[in-house]
Amino acid sequence: MSDAPEVNRPVVTPVRVVIAACLVAPFVAMLWVSSYARIEPTFIGIPFFYWYQMLWVVISTLLTMIAYKLWQRDQRARAAVRAEEGVAR
């Protein structure tokens, strides 16, 4: 073992903030009911209230996929740093 102090990686990073934003955005959009509780504008005869929610199903899927891919990249980068630190010691 070396006498060098341990260097801890920060837990809150910009990538993790983006991940959190991707996961929180659909909840905020759906819980803010007054923003979409109306009939107009209609889309192919479907009131805004319904098509807005269905649109968020697709948006939520995309945001979850982005968050997952960013999380995988972050974990790979952290594992590489840990492996590199292990070799350097």
Side-chain angles (χ1 to χ4, degrees):
M1 287 213 170
S2 69
D3 293 329
E6 291 258 341
V7 177
N8 293 329
R9 311 289 320 156
V11 176
V12 179
T13 62
V15 171
R16 289 185 175 193
V17 171
V18 171
I19 292 169
C22 286
L23 296 176
V24 169
F27 289 103
V28 172
M30 291 293 92
L31 289 175
W32 186 21
V33 178
S34 63
S35 71
Y36 63 91
R38 58 181 185 261
I39 296 173
E40 296 294 328
T42 59
F43 176 69
I44 59 171
I46 301 169
F48 181 75
F49 181 79
Y50 295 113
W51 69 257
Y52 178 82
Q53 291 179 59
M54 292 308 297
L55 179 65
W56 270 101
V57 169
V58 175
I59 294 170
S60 298
T61 303
L62 294 173
L63 290 174
T64 303
M65 184 182 69
I66 291 168
Y68 178 69
K69 293 296 182 183
L70 287 173
W71 181 258
Q72 281 183 324
R73 191 177 84 182
D74 183 59
Q75 292 303 302
R76 280 193 302 266
R78 286 176 177 267
V81 168
R82 267 188 260 121
E84 195 173 284
E85 288 174 353
V87 171
R89 288 184 185 176

